[in-house]
Amino acid sequence: MQPSDEWTRWTAPAKVNLFLHIRGRRADGYHELQTAFQLLDFGDEVWLRPRRDGQVVRHYELPGVAPADDLTVRAARALQATLPGGEAPAAEGGSSRRAVANEWAGECFT
């Protein structure tokens, strides 16, 4: 990928869970968690850019994970539902650091 001026790079630090307790499942399908973790000095790099055509696009393949099941895509669609005009981010890179889309949205659209 060749990032253009439209793409922004976000660092997503790795973390180590010191403990993680799953407390139950919420009505929206997500889990209630209790955790303590330590951020590390390294991690992933995520590239995002806004789209104006209403599409949420994943620019990489993740074996065994359909786009509709990818947490990046799900986060982008949840974000899209809150934005006026239906702007949607496209994501590139990163592995398990899907919450960056929410941080990006807070920086770009608030």
Side-chain angles (χ1 to χ4, degrees):
M1 174 193 72
Q2 295 292 343
S4 71
D5 290 337
E6 295 177 354
W7 289 91
T8 58
R9 182 178 70 89
W10 295 82
T11 56
K15 67 176 180 167
V16 173
N17 284 318
L18 304 174
F19 72 86
L20 176 65
H21 298 284
I22 299 173
R23 312 278 300 168
R25 186 176 290 251
R26 303 183 328 201
D28 61 8
Y30 289 96
H31 290 93
E32 292 288 341
L33 302 177
Q34 179 182 20
T35 185
F37 60 87
Q38 174 66 51
L39 294 177
L40 304 177
D41 292 334
F42 58 91
D44 292 326
E45 182 176 277
V46 178
W47 289 86
L48 299 171
R49 70 176 169 156
R51 296 179 57 99
R52 306 218 187 296
D53 62 3
Q55 298 291 314
V56 174
V57 178
R58 180 177 75 177
H59 289 273
Y60 59 91
E61 286 302 315
L62 194 57
V65 179
D69 297 329
D70 186 324
L71 291 179
T72 299
V73 173
R74 290 173 58 190
R77 287 187 177 142
L79 170 62
Q80 182 182 33
T82 70
L83 297 175
E87 293 182 353
E92 174 71 34
S95 60
S96 62
R97 310 295 173 253
R98 309 307 188 199
V100 173
N102 291 327
E103 180 180 342
W104 174 75
E107 292 292 323
C108 295
F109 295 104
T110 60

